[in-house]
Amino acid sequence: MEERDEIEEGSDRVVSRSGSDSRWVDGSQVETEIAPSSLRSDDGGREGYGSLRRRLIKKPKRADSFDVEAMEIAGAYSHHSKDFSIWSTLALAFQTLGVVYGDMGTSPLYVFTDVFSRVDISSDVDVLGALSLVMYTIAIIPLAKYVFVVLKANDNGEGGTFALYSLICRYAKVNMLPNHQPADEHISSFRLKLPTPELQRALRIKDTLEKRSALKTLLLLFVLMGTSMIIGDGILTPAISVMSAVSGLQGEVPGFGTNAVVVVSILILVVLFGIQRFGTSKVGVMFSPILALWYLSLGSIGMYNVLKHDVTVVRAFNPVYVYLFFKKNDKEAWYALGGCVLCITGAEAMFADLGHFSVRAIQIAFSFVVFPCLILAYMGQAAYLMKHPDSSARIFYDSVPESLFWPVIVIATLAAMIASQAMISATFSCVKQSMALGCFPRLKIVHTSRRMMGQIYIPVINWFLMVMCIVVVAIFRSTTEIANAYGIAEVGVMIVTTTLVTLVMLLIWQTNLFLAFCFLLVFGSVELIYMSAVLSKFYQGGWLPLVFASFFLCVMYIWNYGSVLKYRSEVREKISMDFMTDLGSTLGTVRVPGIGMLYSELVQGIPSILGQFLLNLPAIHSVIVVVCIKYVPVPVVPQEERFLFRRLCPKDYHMFRCIARYGYTDIRKEDHHSFEQLLVESLEKFLRREAQDLALESNWNESDNDNTSVGSSGCDGIESLKIPLMRDSRLQELGSSTASEENGISAALPSSMMSSDEDPSLEYELSALREAIDSGFTYLLAHGEVRAKKNSFFLKKLVINYVYGFMRRNCRAGAANYIVPHMNIIEVGMTYMV
């Protein structure tokens, strides 16, 4: 695995990171983990070695948590840079045709068919008014809204509903799971550069969001609703796209009726979902060339029809025809909006798939290829309808020149499959992001590409989508009713995006209030008008996406609700420092050689599950590392900033914490042998760094009696030094100046701390660690059950005991979720009362 191996081979870099908070995540005071006030620092910035040396000489600080693999030099590395040359940008723009614009490109198959199923063509005004509506809808929503505004609201190059939510979570603490740590804000992609105008208003909005739990819940529900609509799109897009393409055979092949369309569509859908396990990279090698040929066909056939049938359709550029269309058709024109909105299906993909491309590439592809080709395609169909108004039922295929029919229907079927493929892949990514942010049950994720880390396959979701697609096609048997459902899902996602981008404008961009209001008013009103039109067909298929969205919304919210209650229960039941002190370094049992990896979701404190192991096991390992897998609201945590370490108790306890931080698009697929080796190397370096810091601190206290005395040597909550602890190939690129700085630092350190041979306690701890390594690793997991308290109200008991309990029992178990070897696992039962 080329890219993944590069990450693992370069993972032996260690540096100290910034310190820890003095309170638990629930706000309660830390028992004995408070750092001495003289050792605290409010400086959250990144310092070079020169300034660091001066700080060390002036006032030392002991090491608490450090970031495994980290190399902290401000501005030295950019992990999310998307600065491409013009040719690279053009190449990316070409690739977007096959991934981003497949859905929008297939909309000419069914838009006018659906519009004129609601409005009869009795004059030119009907055709020109519908064409004008379609053209200005494409110009307002995809072009004006997405290309020029929404694409800029990306999260370090990532787009989509959860990207906007994570962006808001980083600035305002609105995440429902209370596991935020100050050290997270030092991730290179975490901090936001805030301008000064409108700052006071932004701070008021931030405080309001943070103080009112109802607003946090409302924001989460809004995000989950948008995500649910996207998953619903994953069901409806394959159904309507494939069925629209196959329906072209009706009237062309004798005896090919509705039943045949349904059967052939279902067969294509079965094949489409059956090949998902091979991955997008294998299935979609020819995506972009096929879609480029499809757009070329749309544009050229449209221009041919305009020139041959009626050039006067250019009158539709005059928006007055929209007014005349509504004046003539009244209520039917409003119903026709439900078909018109289908011309922008897939517009959300421009934002959702941004992480695979760049803003400039998506803008170029839409502005210079997609937009003109779609406009020509709709103008060509309108010109044909001006001469043949009775052809609206099969307008796309009837307008194709007879000699090109079979090539076009083949390309149309391929384009429909590609559009479906893109939406299925987007659904997989959406579900994965939901899982990372604790809003979806844990499912098996298969990584289908060794080169493209973002290409994934989720078997359960894949087969669920396939079954639902088959059911939709078999029940509705018509693209018109599927279109009624499709419109609600599409417009629903757009309304969510508009609202979240407005919040980003006010909270993060700090845009002028008038401009933010104009954005919400213009685009929000247009989308609400379209939503009112598609909801009018609620009983003709519009109920379907709402059922899908409600189902997934309930699943995601219940999972998040149960997970938050479980985490808060763990925080309440954590083991106190007084209890650990009473147990002593033996922990009240026998310590045997070996390293125990205790997995817990707690980011601070000692988890109560340790007490269960002490009660149920006759002995416990000589070294215990509490491992926490934590997702932070950033797309990607750089590999060199992923891990944090700290000591949990006094030295003779040999207990440590390791926090592994991941972004919501990160792929967590480490080999446990590599992880163990990395952890041991990091732990050794941490011990050496700690000994140096303690010696430096002792030396400083002896030379400066005016300093505040250092606190107890118990479970310390003290800050880090940000000095690289392991060899890093990147250090060599910094030149001899950096080396001389390091030598200067070393020269400033007391000679008594330069060798472990002169520090008996360090040598003893390292020897104990090596003995534990030789005895092997054991993974200590909790087989937890979550139950509502007896005094809880009925609905809470129903949700937690049965719904959430059912999902926990049937989702990925701890061993599979944490990627640990089954032969080295010890599990104990644990009941969390919430």
Side-chain angles (χ1 to χ4, degrees):
M1 293 188 281
E2 293 87 354
E3 294 188 8
R4 194 175 299 124
D5 289 344
E6 288 176 5
I7 292 175
E8 292 177 355
E9 290 170 6
S11 63
D12 56 347
R13 300 181 285 276
V14 183
V15 72
S16 295
R17 296 271 314 161
S18 58
S20 58
D21 200 356
S22 61
R23 290 183 177 272
W24 294 121
V25 290
D26 63 347
S28 60
Q29 192 73 29
V30 178
E31 284 91 355
T32 59
E33 295 193 45
I34 304 174
S37 58
S38 64
L39 299 180
R40 297 183 180 276
S41 172
D42 294 327
D43 183 13
R46 293 175 172 77
E47 301 176 79
Y49 289 129
S51 61
L52 179 57
R53 177 179 181 274
R54 289 189 295 272
R55 192 183 72 169
L56 281 171
I57 298 297
K58 183 177 180 181
K59 182 182 289 186
K61 296 177 178 63
R62 298 189 322 210
D64 163 42
S65 59
F66 66 82
D67 192 348
V68 177
E69 309 160 344
M71 173 65 200
E72 280 285 334
I73 298 178
Y77 312 108
S78 177
H79 301 280
H80 306 285
S81 176
K82 289 191 177 182
D83 296 330
F84 299 103
S85 67
I86 182 63
W87 294 111
S88 299
T89 302
L90 292 177
L92 277 178
F94 178 74
Q95 295 173 30
T96 62
L97 296 178
V99 177
V100 178
Y101 296 113
D103 193 4
M104 196 180 298
T106 56
S107 59
L109 290 170
Y110 44 78
V111 168
F112 277 153
T113 298
D114 192 85
V115 168
F116 293 114
S117 69
R118 309 166 194 241
V119 175
D120 294 329
I121 301 177
S122 58
S123 68
D124 291 354
V125 171
D126 297 316
V127 176
L128 294 175
L131 175 61
S132 187
L133 267 175
V134 168
M135 291 194 301
Y136 281 103
T137 299
I138 297 175
I140 291 174
I141 301 299
L143 184 63
K145 174 187 169 183
Y146 281 91
V147 169
F148 291 110
V149 181
V150 174
L151 287 179
K152 297 179 181 179
N154 62 82
D155 183 12
N156 290 308
E158 294 292 333
T161 306
F162 268 105
L164 290 172
Y165 183 61
S166 73
L167 200 60
I168 295 169
C169 285
R170 292 216 302 278
Y171 184 68
K173 296 179 178 61
V174 296
N175 196 339
M176 301 297 289
L177 194 65
N179 63 351
H180 174 79
Q181 289 179 291
D184 297 337
E185 299 177 9
H186 294 271
I187 298 173
S188 58
S189 58
F190 194 99
R191 285 179 174 265
L192 299 170
K193 297 180 179 179
L194 300 176
T196 53
E198 311 290 343
L199 179 60
Q200 188 174 2
R201 186 197 66 223
L203 291 176
R204 285 200 301 268
I205 297 173
K206 175 178 181 291
D207 292 339
T208 303
L209 287 173
E210 291 179 346
K211 290 178 180 178
R212 299 186 179 180
S213 59
L215 290 180
K216 294 181 184 180
T217 303
L218 182 63
L219 179 62
L220 177 64
L221 286 173
F222 203 62
V223 171
L224 296 183
M225 176 60 75
T227 306
S228 303
M229 291 286 188
I230 293 176
I231 299 175
D233 276 352
I235 298 172
L236 298 173
T237 298
I240 192 172
S241 299
V242 172
M243 202 169 181
S244 298
V246 174
S247 63
L249 296 174
Q250 280 184 296
E252 194 70 24
V253 177
F256 197 88
T258 302
N259 290 335
V261 170
V262 170
V263 171
V264 172
S265 298
I266 289 176
L267 290 176
I268 293 176
L269 288 172
V270 170
V271 172
L272 176 65
F273 284 99
I275 62 178
Q276 291 301 312
R277 62 190 181 90
F278 297 110
T280 304
S281 60
K282 300 179 181 66
V283 176
V285 174
M286 299 297 291
F287 278 13
S288 295
I290 292 174
L291 261 297
L293 183 60
W294 171 248
Y295 276 108
L296 178 63
S297 301
L298 290 178
S300 57
I301 293 173
M303 184 175 294
Y304 167 81
N305 285 324
V306 168
L307 296 176
K308 179 180 179 180
H309 297 291
D310 195 343
V311 181
T312 63
V313 292
V314 296
R315 290 178 291 168
F317 282 103
N318 185 351
V320 74
Y321 281 97
V322 175
Y323 167 75
L324 296 176
F325 179 73
F326 277 93
K327 182 180 179 181
K328 177 179 181 296
N329 295 288
D330 198 22
K331 193 174 182 179
E332 285 72 19
W334 180 59
Y335 289 147
L337 287 176
C340 178
V341 75
L342 299 177
C343 69
I344 55 174
T345 56
E348 184 68 24
M350 298 168 63
F351 187 46
D353 292 328
L354 179 60
H356 301 287
F357 305 101
S358 66
V359 172
R360 185 66 64 191
I362 292 178
Q363 290 173 330
I364 290 174
F366 184 83
S367 302
F368 296 100
V369 178
V370 176
F371 183 68
C373 287
L374 287 178
I375 295 298
L376 285 173
Y378 289 117
M379 289 178 66
Q381 292 183 26
Y384 189 88
L385 286 172
M386 297 282 278
K387 298 296 183 183
H388 307 89
D390 297 332
S391 300
S392 60
R394 295 183 73 254
I395 176 57
F396 178 80
Y397 289 107
D398 285 351
S399 65
V400 174
E402 188 174 348
S403 59
L404 297 177
F405 175 81
W406 287 106
V408 168
I409 199 170
V410 170
I411 298 174
T413 304
L414 292 174
M417 294 183 67
I418 292 171
S420 305
Q421 172 66 46
M423 202 63 231
I424 294 168
S425 300
T427 303
F428 291 158
S429 299
C430 187
V431 170
K432 180 191 176 298
Q433 292 180 16
S434 304
M435 291 168 57
L437 294 177
C439 296
F440 207 93
R442 298 182 297 268
L443 302 175
K444 180 181 180 181
I445 297 178
V446 179
H447 305 280
T448 59
S449 174
R450 294 183 177 184
R451 302 183 65 88
M452 300 296 294
M453 300 294 286
Q455 293 184 4
I456 59 175
Y457 164 66
I458 305 178
V460 173
I461 298 297
N462 182 69
W463 302 124
F464 176 82
L465 294 179
M466 186 191 76
V467 171
M468 289 296 102
C469 279
I470 293 174
V471 170
V472 168
V473 171
I475 291 178
F476 288 101
R477 303 170 64 85
S478 166
T479 58
T480 301
E481 292 195 5
I482 299 177
N484 294 334
Y486 199 23
I488 292 179
E490 286 290 336
V491 180
V493 177
M494 292 177 185
I495 291 175
V496 170
T497 299
T498 299
T499 306
L500 292 178
V501 170
T502 303
L503 185 57
V504 168
M505 285 180 167
L506 296 173
L507 185 65
I508 300 172
W509 292 356
Q510 297 161 20
T511 309
N512 181 274
L513 186 61
F514 176 75
L515 295 178
F517 177 75
C518 288
F519 173 83
L520 180 63
L521 179 65
V522 172
F523 298 112
S525 59
V526 170
E527 290 160 358
L528 286 176
I529 290 172
Y530 276 122
M531 178 60 82
S532 67
V534 294
L535 284 175
S536 67
K537 295 294 183 179
F538 180 83
Y539 294 106
Q540 289 78 38
W543 54 268
L544 187 64
L546 298 181
V547 171
F548 287 146
S550 299
F551 171 75
F552 283 106
L553 176 64
C554 290
V555 168
M556 290 191 287
Y557 183 73
I558 289 174
W559 182 264
N560 179 266
Y561 176 69
S563 299
V564 170
L565 291 182
K566 175 179 175 292
Y567 187 88
R568 289 174 177 169
S569 174
E570 287 191 79
V571 171
R572 288 194 305 268
E573 297 172 5
K574 64 183 183 291
I575 298 176
S576 68
M577 292 298 105
D578 292 338
F579 180 75
M580 296 298 295
T581 303
D582 292 340
L583 288 178
S585 60
T586 63
L587 300 180
T589 184
V590 179
R591 303 293 292 268
V592 296
I595 296 181
M597 305 274 282
L598 178 64
Y599 279 78
S600 171
E601 296 180 3
L602 277 184
V603 295
Q604 293 193 34
I606 298 175
S608 58
I609 187 63
L610 177 62
Q612 294 294 319
F613 280 106
L614 294 177
L615 289 174
N616 289 277
L617 297 181
I620 199 70
H621 302 82
S622 57
V623 176
I624 297 176
V625 180
V626 179
V627 181
C628 172
I629 305 296
K630 173 184 174 181
Y631 286 91
V632 292
V634 295
V636 176
V637 175
Q639 184 75 4
E640 63 272 18
E641 300 178 25
R642 188 171 308 287
F643 298 97
L644 294 173
F645 260 80
R646 68 174 298 171
R647 186 186 291 278
L648 282 178
C649 286
K651 284 188 175 183
D652 53 348
Y653 281 66
H654 305 301
M655 292 180 61
F656 307 90
R657 165 174 284 111
C658 170
I659 298 178
R661 303 175 298 180
Y662 294 84
Y664 56 83
T665 63
D666 272 329
I667 305 299
R668 185 165 62 84
K669 197 173 176 64
E670 302 96 342
D671 175 76
H672 68 92
H673 292 297
S674 302
F675 182 80
E676 291 168 0
Q677 181 180 1
L678 174 62
L679 183 139
V680 168
E681 292 175 355
S682 306
L683 194 51
E684 286 188 11
K685 295 301 179 181
F686 172 68
L687 295 175
R688 296 181 188 277
R689 179 69 268 168
E690 183 188 48
Q692 291 179 349
D693 299 334
L694 290 172
L696 179 60
E697 179 186 316
S698 175
N699 183 65
W700 174 255
N701 288 334
E702 291 175 2
S703 61
D704 188 355
N705 294 326
D706 293 333
N707 283 348
T708 305
S709 60
V710 179
S712 66
S713 60
C715 303
D716 300 310
I718 41 188
E719 294 194 324
S720 58
L721 291 173
K722 294 186 182 176
I723 297 179
L725 303 178
M726 282 189 176
R727 295 188 304 273
D728 192 316
S729 58
R730 293 174 178 171
L731 285 175
Q732 300 175 3
E733 301 175 5
L734 299 177
S736 59
S737 60
T738 302
S740 63
E741 293 280 6
E742 287 185 288
N743 293 335
I745 295 175
S746 300
L749 299 177
S751 59
S752 60
M753 55 183 286
M754 300 308 295
S755 171
S756 64
D757 295 336
E758 300 178 25
D759 189 343
S761 63
L762 173 60
E763 185 59 34
Y764 167 76
E765 196 160 18
L766 288 176
S767 63
L769 177 61
R770 295 187 186 104
E771 182 182 359
I773 295 169
D774 294 337
S775 300
F777 290 78
T778 302
Y779 293 83
L780 309 176
L781 306 180
H783 185 72
E785 182 180 6
V786 181
R787 305 288 295 178
K789 294 178 180 178
K790 291 184 178 181
N791 59 350
S792 302
F793 52 91
F794 172 76
L795 183 59
K796 181 179 178 180
K797 289 182 179 179
L798 177 66
V799 168
I800 295 298
N801 296 348
Y802 296 99
V803 182
Y804 181 69
F806 174 81
M807 289 191 287
R808 278 186 62 86
R809 288 191 297 271
N810 291 276
C811 70
R812 297 267 284 180
N817 188 53
Y818 291 129
I819 316 175
V820 296
H822 291 269
M823 299 297 293
N824 296 3
I825 292 176
I826 299 178
E827 283 188 306
V828 297
M830 185 78 181
T831 301
Y832 301 95
M833 302 304 296
V834 298

